[in-house]
Amino acid sequence: MDTADATVRPADAPLAFRPATEADVDGLVALIESAFRGDASRAGWTTEADILGGQRTDPEGVAAVVRGENSRMVIVERAGELVACCQLEHRGDHAYFGMFAVRPALQGGGLGKVILAEAERFARAEWGVTEMHMTVISAREELIAWYERRGYARTGRMTPFPYGDERFGVPRRADLEFELLVKSLG
């Protein structure tokens, strides 16, 4: 079954969080792709389809996070179905948050807030970190505003988009770059 397109019932079932395994990689790639790329991503509000084509990630990239010594790929399930995921990486005094994807049909209902809060709780409690860091494409103003409402601050620290490396997508604009967002977990 393609978990990115599955219908999840019941909507009020509790969320279950667990670390991903190698067996989860294909489902995770499908979920991440569905949330950000192609026409299917337009069902949600996190689509990057207008600024990037091609892939968002690949099995090798997701498997590297799953196997990483200082990282954790978190699976979020409801009633046994994959509904969301995120990457956490322990980087000394802070954690990095990435590969955050919610099934497009479930976006906008508060699920993302719950998952982000759980990721922050885990990083603070399990790793003792004092900050959460993430990078967001600076052109994604609506997404950045969503993170700002959850306590993340724009730093103005930019890194270039990896133009020419199709593992990260095929840019549809020439002005893409990543901005570092930071939140204190103290």
Side-chain angles (χ1 to χ4, degrees), residues 10 38 45 59 68 76 84 104 123 133-134 150 162 167 173:
W45 69 273
V76 184
H133 291 197
M134 70 176 70
R150 273 131 206 99
R167 291 177 302 159
R173 312 172 32 161

Side-chain angles (χ1 to χ4, degrees), residues 47-123:
T47 184
E48 295 173 343
D50 293 329
I51 61 172
L52 289 161
Q55 72 179 31
R56 176 64 148 69
T57 191
D58 55 34
E60 295 78 19
V62 173
V65 174
V66 170
R67 289 190 299 265
E69 182 178 327
N70 292 319
S71 68
R72 168 172 278 188
M73 191 70 181
V74 179
I75 295 271
V76 184
E77 296 171 317
R78 180 181 278 152
E81 297 289 337
L82 176 62
V83 296
C85 67
C86 67
Q87 165 197 11
L88 290 170
E89 186 176 325
H90 189 191
R91 296 183 178 175
D93 65 346
H94 72 274
Y96 178 81
F97 180 81
M99 279 197 219
F100 186 26
V102 174
R103 190 174 299 166
L106 299 176
Q107 293 176 16
L111 190 57
K113 286 187 263 188
V114 172
I115 294 164
L116 182 60
E118 174 58 18
E120 292 167 354
R121 185 209 61 78
F122 174 89

Side-chain angles (χ1 to χ4, degrees), residues 141-153:
E141 291 292 336
E142 185 178 357
L143 183 59
I144 291 171
W146 187 86
Y147 284 117
E148 286 179 312
R149 289 191 300 273
R150 273 131 206 99
Y152 286 81

